[in-house]
C-alpha cells in the first residue's frame, strides 16, 4: 500500500487490527553498560561513575522497559509476514531512543548523538514475537436491529 492508502485505512478503521510484541536482547558489554547507566540514572540525580556491580540493574523487571508492541491499524494483503516484521524491527530502535536511552538516540530522525552509538546485530538484537489479533467490535447491520 502507498502511504496515503495506509493513512486512509487508519482513518476509516480507528481500531487496531493486530500487533507484534517485541523485546531487546543485549549482546555486547557496551550495550549492557549503557542500558544499566540509564536505569542507574533513574535512581540518582547524577551519574559520576558506574561500577561493575551496577550492572545488576539489568533485571527482568527493568528490561521490560525495553519491550513493547508495534500495532498495525491497516491490513494490506500484499504485505507479507516478513515485511511486517521488518517494519517492526526498523521502528523499534527509534522507539527506544525516544525513551532517552543513550546509544539509541541516534536512531531518531533529526537528532545527533555525540556519545557511543549502538548497532543492531552487533550490540543488541530485536526479538519480534508472534502476531496477536485484536478482537474487533461487531458492526451492526439492519438485520441485527429488529426495531428498524
Amino acid at each position: 500500500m502507498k502511504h496515503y492508502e495506509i493513512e486512509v485505512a487508519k482513518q476509516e478503521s480507528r481500531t487496531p487490527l493486530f500487533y507484534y510484541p517485541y523485546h531487546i536482547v543485549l549482546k555486547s558489554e557496551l550495550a549492557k553498560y549503557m542500558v544499566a547507566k540509564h536505569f542507574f540514572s533513574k535512581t540518582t540525580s547524577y551519574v559520576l561513575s558506574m561500577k561493575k556491580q551496577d550492572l545488576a540493574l539489568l533485571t527482568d523487571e527493568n528490561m521490560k522497559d525495553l519491550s513493547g508492541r508495534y500495532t498495525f491499524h491497516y491490513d494490506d494483503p500484499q504485505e507479507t509476514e516478513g515485511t511486517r516484521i521488518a517494519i517492526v524491527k526498523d521502528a523499534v530502535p527509534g522507539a527506544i531512543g525516544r525513551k532517552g536511552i543513550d546509544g539509541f538516540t541516534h536512531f531518531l530522525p533529526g537528532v545527533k548523538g555525540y556519545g557511543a552509538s549502538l548497532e543492531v546485530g552487533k550490540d543488541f538484537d530485536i526479538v519480534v514475537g508472534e502476531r496477536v489479533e485484536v478482537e474487533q467490535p461487531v458492526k451492526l447491520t439492519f438485520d441485527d436491529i429488529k426495531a428498524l
Side-chain angles (χ1 to χ4, degrees):
M1 294 177 97
K2 294 184 172 49
H3 182 69
Y4 74 90
E5 292 174 329
I6 291 171
E7 292 302 318
V8 169
K10 285 181 184 178
Q11 293 298 323
E12 289 176 350
S13 174
R14 294 187 179 265
T15 58
L17 296 177
F18 54 91
Y19 65 88
Y20 289 89
Y22 65 83
H23 67 277
I24 300 295
V25 176
L26 303 175
K27 292 170 65 175
S28 70
E29 290 299 317
L30 176 64
K32 291 177 184 176
Y33 171 78
M34 295 186 91
V35 173
K37 182 178 141 188
H38 172 72
F39 295 132
F40 185 73
S41 67
K42 284 183 172 181
T43 61
T44 61
S45 60
Y46 58 90
V47 180
L48 289 178
S49 65
M50 282 191 52
K51 299 176 178 66
K52 194 75 164 173
Q53 63 264 24
D54 292 330
L55 291 177
L57 291 170
L58 296 175
T59 61
D60 289 338
E61 188 63 34
N62 284 341
M63 290 301 287
K64 285 182 183 176
D65 196 31
L66 298 180
S67 63
R69 62 185 182 178
Y70 189 91
T71 305
F72 285 85
H73 293 270
Y74 66 93
D75 190 14
D76 184 4
Q78 295 178 343
E79 243 178 28
T80 64
E81 195 76 13
T83 305
R84 290 186 183 122
I85 289 175
I87 291 170
V88 173
K89 286 187 175 187
D90 186 49
V92 167
I96 295 173
R98 279 189 287 283
K99 293 180 181 181
I101 300 176
D102 290 337
F104 290 95
T105 54
H106 71 282
F107 288 108
L108 296 173
V111 176
K112 289 186 179 182
Y114 294 104
S117 57
L118 302 176
E119 296 178 26
V120 180
K122 179 182 170 191
D123 296 315
F124 66 95
D125 279 331
I126 302 166
V127 179
V128 180
E130 294 291 321
R131 174 179 168 158
V132 177
E133 299 286 334
V134 177
E135 187 175 328
Q136 296 297 312
V138 177
K139 294 184 179 180
L140 296 176
T141 64
F142 288 111
D143 297 332
D144 296 332
I145 304 172
K146 300 292 184 202
L148 297 176

